[in-house]
Amino acid sequence: MKILHQVVETVEGLEFLDKIAEPYAAVVGKVVKPRFLRNLLSGTYVGHPLHPVLTDLPIGAWSMAALLDIVGSEATEPAADLLVVAGIVLAVPTAASGANDWSDTQGKERRLGLVHALANSTAVSLYTASLIARKRGNRGVGKALGLAGFGVLMAGGYLGGHLAYSKGVNVNRTAWREGPAEWQAVLAEAELAEGNLRKVELDGVSVVLYRDGGQIHALDSVCSHMGGPLEEGTVSEGCVTCPWHGSTFRLSDGGIVRGPASNPQPVYEARVTDGGIEVRRSPDS
Ligand code: FES
């Protein structure tokens, strides 16, 4: 639908939104700083971004409420009201996980994410007003407000879908990166200094090497979260930390110690042969 993409492009170009988005994103970034909260909201503990999963819950509840409001009878009114309440309650963790993800975005994606959040906040407000009207016996008004909320929710959902599926926000950046299954020479052993991160290219992927005593670690150099350059990261206690948003991966197996990444970093096997370093895809990665 060309017109919808044009609307999205218009929103992306609204630079004045940056004045609202930047301080708000900074506040969100501070709130989600504790490791447990960051990992929880990012989906690090479930191995998948949390926000897209949670969005199904309020959307599902409110969709069924709208259905009952339209085709239901007096007997289904309590069920419709319960679904409205469920949607409002479920919107809270959904919004928290979305704000966490959004705080890592920049530029056009950040503007689009802000409008997505504003639309969904408006939907929550309309559903809250709908619930109040229902409880006061104004069922017609309650239904109208609920349906208005549903319409706004769909608009916000469209923008969220655009962010994920057209812009690739929070999509695993290493999903299509497969290194060679066979050993490949990448560097002379003498070129890898102890304690330094060094990026090398092989067979269409880039890998970051790190020598730690007698062992050489090799990880995909592109951060699985949003593509940050791990070769510019920092190493501490056997882990590398991405310079962009602080995701921390174990050098030994690419496992996540700290989000926002929710997918582990692909690891490679490395060995020294005839004074050269060779790398190949790890069968466990
Ligand atoms: S790109 Fe976000 S933590 Fe690496």
Side-chain angles (χ1 to χ4, degrees), residues 63-79:
S63 297
M64 291 303 99
L67 184 68
L68 292 180
D69 279 348
I70 294 168
V71 301
S73 61
E74 204 172 321
T76 61
E77 286 174 359

Side-chain angles (χ1 to χ4, degrees), residues 52-207:
V53 180
L54 292 183
T55 55
D56 289 354
L57 301 176
I59 290 175
W62 286 332
S63 297
M64 291 303 99
L67 184 68
L68 292 180
D69 279 348
I70 294 168
V71 301
S73 61
E74 204 172 321
T76 61
E77 286 174 359
D81 295 354
L82 181 62
L83 286 163
V84 169
V85 173
I88 293 168
V89 172
L90 292 165
V92 175
T94 306
S97 61
N100 170 71
D101 294 355
W102 172 78
S103 69
D104 294 325
T105 59
Q106 295 290 334
K108 292 177 178 178
E109 285 85 12
R110 182 170 278 182
R111 291 173 203 149
L112 210 52
L114 180 69
V115 176
H116 164 69
L118 287 172
N120 291 335
S121 301
T122 304
V124 173
S125 302
L126 285 165
Y127 272 109
T128 304
S130 166
L131 184 64
I132 293 168
R134 288 164 198 257
K135 293 299 169 198
R136 288 181 176 167
N138 296 326
R139 182 137 310 260
V141 174
K143 283 184 179 181
L145 286 167
L147 292 175
F150 189 70
V152 177
L153 181 74
M154 291 297 100
Y158 180 84
L159 296 181
H162 188 86
L163 278 166
Y165 300 113
S166 295
K167 295 292 182 182
V169 172
N170 247 358
V171 168
N172 177 9
R173 298 301 169 95
T174 63
W176 292 276
R177 288 168 64 85
E178 279 196 5
E182 303 301 324
W183 289 108
Q184 259 193 31
V186 291
L187 202 65
E189 188 191 5
E191 291 180 89
L192 184 62
E194 177 80 18
N196 276 353
L197 290 165
R198 173 86 188 251
K199 180 179 165 183
V200 294
E201 304 283 343
L202 66 154
D203 244 11
V205 296
S206 50
V207 170

